[in-house]
Amino acid sequence: MFLGIQETVAQFSSWVWGIPLLILLIGGGLFLFIYSGLIPFRYIGHAVAVLRGKYDKHDSPGDLSHYEALSSAIAATVGMGNISGVAIAIATGGPGAIFWMWVSAFVGMATKFFTCSLSVMYRGKDEEGNTKGGPMYVITEGLGKGWKPLAVFFASAGLVGTLPAFQANQLTQTLIDVFQVQEANYFTAKLLLGISIAIIVALVIFGGIKRIGSVAGKLVPVMVVVYLITVAAILLLRIEEVPAIFALIFEDAFTGKSVLGGALGALIITGVKRAAFSNEAGLGTAPMMHGTAKTKEPIREGLVAMLGPAIDTLLVCSLTAFAILASGVWKGFEGNGISMTLAAFDAVLPYNSGSVILTICVLIFAFSTLFTYSFYGFSCLSFLTNSKIGKSYNYIYIVTIVIASIIKLDFVINLIDSAYALMAIPTVLSTLILAPKVKKAATVYFDKLKTNSF
């Protein structure tokens, strides 16, 4: 029976991630990129100033500072998708998939600007009076109550899409590989690791959004810096390979010969899927976090959110890709996901130190994601029911960690990919409809900025 479910989910994932969704995500993002007049991109320096707290006001509505909101959103996106997901993209689509991840990131920055501006512009409140954000509130508050079925559709898909299945599965697999657990002991070891991970996550997520934001704010800078230094060392040791890496990525991006036999359409879809899993632009998760930011200026939070895909995909995902391609292990490698990344690090760094360093990075990356994803599921369930029932999502979340640690990777990927695709439909549609509201607000905001009217 389970094999039948696996096959059904795999078929649905392949079908839903077809050309129509590709057009919606990339085409919609490209439209927003052009429609913005590239104005947000010209104010990246201002976005950094906002992130540093220059414009923070403690009496503004919301729960998290700009920095905590972005850190929490990045903590959710900079995770196993950046380490394991990139390896999967290279294994299934070849080096050219990385180019399409980059393209997706650039249009994703524009998408994040619009979706997260809207998440503050059209915030809602729960029955306890707490400020809430996300596509479900953008739809009901921005488009009207008649659109509520679309909001319910998003929140229902979000209950599955924000489950911690991929992170728990790949974190467990990392520890199994590093400690070289015998195959006969796989199930027991994975189960015990799953239970241990679940206990650690529970200690944080039951403390609520403020504790999650505080922990994420401390973890994110550490994990990005450590990873940057490690990959820089790998590239220095293989410096002669760097020019060839870039040439390979660009050449393969338009041929797909290395893996897919010239199947360019499939190659593009692979890159877009993995980028979507990595930076989540257009999926609707980040707006739930940014919607809790302490601000009265929607455009300000949109600018901060725009930095997310740049940090996540253009920086961290690229680092992983360069390390794997520089090592050469991707050619004919039989494994997938985290196993490939581990092999790449060990192939270059001396004394098998790559496994140790990557394991530390994986622990930080995975736990940061596990801490923050729970808030997304809680938000979706709270919208569908109420906050009291929404809190029970944390229990479902913890149980899922244990289950996901022992099931197959392919099923996990197909399940989450399917849910992400369904989440993207209402998110992008509502954003495209309400985009003129954001553009109008952006014009007013930047005019005020020029005249120092804040």
Side-chain angles (χ1 to χ4, degrees):
M1 180 178 175
F2 183 68
L3 289 175
I5 294 173
Q6 283 183 300
E7 182 63 27
T8 301
V9 171
Q11 290 176 355
F12 179 77
S13 176
S14 178
W15 172 78
V16 76
W17 275 99
I19 298 301
L21 186 64
L22 185 68
I23 293 172
L24 183 66
L25 272 177
I26 293 297
L30 188 59
F31 167 78
L32 294 172
F33 183 84
I34 297 170
Y35 184 67
S36 70
L38 305 186
I39 290 177
F41 294 86
R42 303 208 303 262
Y43 286 92
I44 288 181
H46 175 63
V48 173
V50 174
L51 184 63
R52 292 173 57 191
K54 183 177 179 180
Y55 297 89
D56 284 357
K57 294 182 179 179
H58 299 292
D59 60 343
S60 296
D63 294 313
L64 302 178
S65 68
H66 292 291
Y67 172 74
E68 288 175 333
L70 180 64
S71 294
S72 298
I74 291 177
T77 57
V78 178
M80 297 308 298
N82 300 78
I83 299 177
S84 178
V86 173
I88 292 170
I90 293 173
T92 58
I98 304 305
F99 174 84
W100 295 108
M101 288 184 74
W102 291 341
V103 172
S104 220
F106 276 110
V107 299
M109 290 175 71
T111 303
K112 277 277 179 82
F113 171 74
F114 278 88
T115 57
C116 294
S117 293
L118 287 169
S119 71
V120 175
M121 190 179 296
Y122 294 109
R123 288 199 273 209
K125 290 185 179 295
D126 61 18
E127 68 283 354
E128 298 175 356
N130 298 314
T131 301
K132 297 291 183 181
M136 54 281 208
Y137 294 101
V138 170
I139 293 168
T140 53
E141 301 295 325
L143 298 179
K145 301 299 181 183
W147 291 77
K148 189 170 182 179
L150 191 64
V152 170
F153 180 86
F154 169 83
S156 300
L159 290 177
V160 178
T162 59
L163 286 172
F166 183 77
Q167 291 77 19
N169 180 283
Q170 289 294 274
L171 176 56
T172 304
Q173 186 62 49
T174 301
L175 297 173
I176 290 291
D177 288 351
V178 169
F179 293 108
Q180 300 179 348
V181 176
Q182 297 296 317
E183 190 171 348
N185 300 322
Y186 266 21
F187 181 83
T188 302
K190 286 186 174 182
L191 180 61
L192 291 174
L193 285 169
I195 293 171
S196 301
I197 294 166
I199 292 171
I200 295 171
V201 172
L203 293 174
V204 173
I205 68 173
F206 283 99
I209 181 59
K210 291 187 178 180
R211 183 183 295 176
I212 292 171
S214 175
V215 172
K218 294 178 176 65
L219 282 179
V220 168
V222 173
M223 69 185 186
V224 172
V225 170
V226 170
Y227 201 60
L228 176 61
I229 292 172
T230 304
V231 176
I234 291 175
L235 295 180
L236 284 172
L237 290 170
R238 293 290 174 90
I239 192 67
E240 71 280 358
E241 300 288 340
V242 173
I245 288 172
F246 281 95
L248 180 62
I249 290 173
F250 283 98
E251 178 185 355
D252 192 58
F254 298 96
T255 61
K257 291 180 180 178
S258 63
V259 174
L260 295 168
L264 182 58
L267 172 62
I268 295 172
I269 290 173
T270 297
V272 173
K273 282 171 70 174
R274 298 279 61 86
F277 191 93
S278 170
N279 63 52
E280 299 172 21
L283 301 185
T285 49
M288 286 188 265
M289 190 65 74
H290 286 283
T292 67
K294 293 177 72 68
T295 183
K296 294 179 181 178
E297 295 287 350
I299 301 304
R300 193 171 285 165
E301 191 58 29
L303 289 169
V304 171
M306 188 178 69
L307 299 173
I311 296 170
D312 178 275
T313 305
L314 297 179
L315 177 60
V316 183
C317 283
S318 296
L319 290 174
T320 304
F322 295 156
I324 292 173
L325 296 176
S327 72
V329 302
W330 63 279
K331 298 175 183 177
F333 190 80
E334 294 183 2
N336 203 341
I338 193 66
S339 299
M340 178 188 286
T341 314
L342 281 167
F345 275 57
D346 270 342
V348 180
L349 296 176
Y351 311 113
N352 288 328
S353 59
S355 291
V356 177
I357 297 171
L358 186 60
T359 300
I360 294 170
C361 291
V362 164
L363 286 170
I364 300 174
F365 278 42
F367 275 113
S368 68
T369 305
L370 289 168
F371 293 154
T372 48
Y373 253 51
S374 62
F375 175 72
Y376 296 150
F378 159 74
S379 298
C380 289
L381 186 56
S382 296
F383 176 81
L384 293 171
T385 56
N386 57 58
S387 295
K388 186 175 181 180
I389 296 176
K391 291 176 182 176
S392 64
Y393 182 83
N394 284 341
Y395 296 98
I396 300 170
Y397 192 85
I398 294 301
V399 172
T400 301
I401 291 175
V402 179
I403 296 173
S405 66
I406 57 176
I407 61 178
K408 289 187 176 181
L409 174 62
D410 288 347
F411 175 71
V412 170
I413 292 173
N414 289 325
L415 178 67
I416 302 302
D417 276 349
S418 298
Y420 273 3
L422 296 179
M423 291 166 67
I425 296 169
T427 301
V428 177
L429 284 177
S430 60
T431 302
L432 291 173
I433 294 170
L434 293 169
K437 301 286 187 181
V438 177
K439 188 168 184 179
K440 183 178 179 180
T443 300
V444 173
Y445 180 84
F446 292 126
D447 284 344
K448 285 184 178 179
L449 186 64
K450 290 176 183 176
T451 57
N452 294 315
S453 300
F454 291 114

